[in-house]
Amino acid sequence: MNKKETNNSSVELSRRSFLIGSAGSVAWLAVGGLSMASEMQAPHVLPALPYAELDLEPVISTYTIGFHYGKHHKGYVDNLNKLVTGTEYAGISLEKIIAETAGKADKAAIFNNAAQVWNHTFYWQGLKANGGGEPPAALRQKIEESFGSVDACKKELAAAAVSQFGSGWAWLILEGDKIKTAKTSNADSPLTTGRKPLFTIDVWEHAYYLDYQNRRSDYVNALLDKLINWEFVLRNIG
Ligand code: MN3
């Protein structure tokens, strides 16, 4: 572990301690992917980023994160809290809200905001400073079984991200014992079709337009080469 990572870890730990101390019911902070929001109750809380806002420079600028995390992600949390207050969805977990509102036209606003809260939290967790590079051996083997090579996996995921028409998300998911790629539109999530998310890339324009304008593929490739947190992907396989 280099010095920068050591420093980041201690920043992360002290943030966690602070949040756990100040909001004891928020269990999202446990690292490990899918369980991250399982005990989050309304009112829903914007989870802390697992790194400083400048740590993803130069791939994702502090300016982009300021808007994306501080305005967009926070906006979904605030909207969700407004929408569920006084309804049957108040006080239940984010995952349960997503499961119970998926596909219901009259619950679309609640679904969209809940799924966007989940998707963004998952997206931030999947990135890290000095990410990319080679996956851990156990993950590399799984990727090779599924795609032939790490490079082929990254190419297929980048193709999914670039070809998603309009706003949405590209994913690595687990189906059976194989890793696959997927893409979803707007707020949609693999969770609603029983697929297990391992990693996601936000391809809404707000995720990259300030830094890359129309060059979505440059954003996607830089993210996969320099920010993907392979340990997070491996933990989600479980
Ligand atoms: Mn976004």
Side-chain angles (χ1 to χ4, degrees):
M1 182 178 283
N2 66 30
K3 189 162 186 295
K4 186 168 169 52
E5 282 167 347
T6 307
N7 288 343
N8 286 348
S9 299
S10 51
V11 167
E12 198 180 331
L13 270 178
S14 59
R15 277 191 184 159
R16 280 200 192 114
S17 307
F18 170 74
L19 275 177
I20 288 165
S22 62
S25 65
V26 180
W28 171 86
L29 297 155
V31 173
L34 288 179
S35 64
M36 65 189 179
S38 59
E39 292 178 48
M40 185 191 273
Q41 303 293 320
H44 299 275
V45 175
L46 178 68
L49 288 173
Y51 32 73
E53 294 192 9
L54 55 73
D55 283 353
L56 305 186
E57 295 262 12
V59 178
I60 299 175
S61 69
T62 307
Y63 190 50
T64 287
I65 294 197
F67 280 96
H68 196 183
Y69 171 73
K71 303 289 185 192
H72 291 273
H73 193 175
K74 180 177 187 301
Y76 295 124
V77 173
D78 293 345
N79 285 338
L80 179 63
N81 282 328
K82 280 184 205 145
L83 287 163
V84 300
T85 299
T87 74
E88 64 199 285
Y89 302 106
I92 67 172
S93 73
L94 199 54
E95 285 86 350
K96 210 165 176 189
I97 293 174
I98 292 167
E100 291 183 5
T101 57
K104 294 179 181 165
D106 61 331
K107 305 289 189 235
I110 293 177
F111 172 82
N112 286 336
N113 283 282
Q116 284 294 78
V117 171
W118 197 98
N119 292 351
H120 281 88
T121 301
F122 195 72
Y123 168 69
W124 300 124
Q125 290 284 301
L127 308 178
K128 67 170 190 175
N130 304 313
E134 291 300 317
L139 178 59
R140 165 184 279 282
Q141 188 184 343
K142 196 88 176 165
I143 289 173
E144 287 174 352
E145 286 166 12
S146 303
F147 296 94
S149 69
V150 173
D151 206 44
C153 170
K154 285 165 67 178
K155 280 203 174 110
E156 187 176 317
L157 180 56
V162 170
S163 65
Q164 167 57 34
F165 186 76
S167 296
W169 301 82
W171 304 84
L172 288 178
I173 56 168
L174 192 66
E175 268 189 16
D177 63 349
K178 284 280 192 294
I179 302 174
K180 295 184 177 175
T181 63
K183 52 188 177 179
T184 59
S185 293
N186 298 318
D188 282 349
S189 159
L191 290 174
T192 62
T193 46
R195 297 172 295 168
K196 187 176 187 179
L198 304 178
F199 176 75
T200 193
I201 305 173
D202 189 338
V203 296
W204 285 58
E205 286 184 347
H206 65 230
Y208 61 89
Y209 225 82
L210 293 173
D211 297 330
Y212 297 87
Q213 295 77 50
N214 61 325
R215 303 186 309 278
R216 187 192 286 186
S217 63
D218 288 356
Y219 153 72
V220 167
N221 287 316
L223 185 150
L224 290 176
D225 287 340
K226 294 173 182 161
L227 297 183
I228 186 170
N229 182 344
W230 290 119
E231 291 76 20
F232 174 80
V233 177
L234 181 59
R235 282 199 299 275
N236 287 328
I237 291 174

